[in-house]
Amino acid sequence: MASDAPTTGSAASGWTRWLWLSLAVVILDRATKLAVEAIFREGESLRVTGFFDLVLAYNTGAAFSFLADHDGWQRWLFAAIALAASAFLVWMLRRGGSRLLLAGCALILGGALGNLWDRLAAGRVTDFLLFHYAGWSWPAFNVADSAITVGAALLIIDSFRAPRRAAAQ
């Protein structure tokens, strides 16, 4: 069974392997967005199940369309935030840590870069996954958003595990 101990010393030099996970997220995010844009027109949707649709939606704001109704300055603000967050995440990867921490950082990095690509190339982020139930729906999202969410969850889980590891030493 593999250990989840922090990586230090020479193991930390393998931080670049985590960039492959980030790259996989970016590639999967781009591929799915391009596929949906090739099939759907904006606002068009396809019911997949009673609670899930594929839909083509564009978001010029941040999460949950925050600031989407402004005149375009937010594009550059969110791009700058994504670049700063990406630099911080690369720094975190270089520092090393548990596999949960590193996987979380790599997933968030990939998601941030996937949405940054959209923001820089088109000024908006492509969303296409829509969950709904009994008249309520979650805002549409994409693979990059999913990677960010899973990555954040891994960081939270790791934060609860870290004190136990330190106490055991």
Side-chain angles (χ1 to χ4, degrees):
M1 187 190 277
S3 166
D4 197 35
T7 57
T8 57
S10 63
S13 64
W15 70 273
T16 55
R17 70 183 174 165
W18 292 100
L19 295 178
W20 289 107
L21 177 56
S22 299
L23 180 62
V25 169
V26 172
I27 291 169
L28 182 60
D29 183 62
R30 279 305 309 140
T32 54
K33 288 173 179 175
L34 290 172
V36 168
E37 287 180 317
I39 297 168
F40 295 97
R41 287 187 299 253
E42 185 174 5
E44 197 173 34
S45 67
L46 171 68
R47 172 94 11 137
V48 177
T49 70
F51 61 88
F52 172 67
D53 294 358
L54 291 174
V55 61
L56 178 56
Y58 294 109
N59 181 1
T60 57
F64 310 112
S65 296
F66 177 66
L67 297 178
D69 57 348
H70 289 264
D71 60 6
W73 61 266
Q74 71 277 22
R75 171 186 188 181
W76 305 110
L77 172 67
F78 296 136
I81 291 169
L83 285 170
S86 296
F88 176 73
L89 290 162
V90 169
W91 176 78
M92 290 287 294
L93 288 170
R94 289 183 61 126
R95 278 187 60 216
S98 72
R99 277 192 285 247
L100 279 177
L101 175 78
L102 298 175
C105 288
L107 288 169
I108 295 169
L109 176 62
L113 294 174
N115 282 338
L116 176 63
W117 183 316
D118 280 7
R119 207 169 291 289
L120 293 177
R124 60 191 185 187
V125 173
T126 303
D127 292 323
F128 58 90
L129 303 169
L130 180 67
F131 287 89
H132 53 84
Y133 177 74
W136 171 89
S137 76
W138 190 257
F141 59 99
N142 57 47
V143 170
D145 299 332
S146 299
I148 291 168
T149 301
V150 170
L154 292 177
L155 295 183
I156 291 167
I157 292 166
D158 185 67
S159 75
F160 287 114
R161 294 169 43 109
R164 277 187 262 155
R165 280 196 305 266
Q169 293 179 355

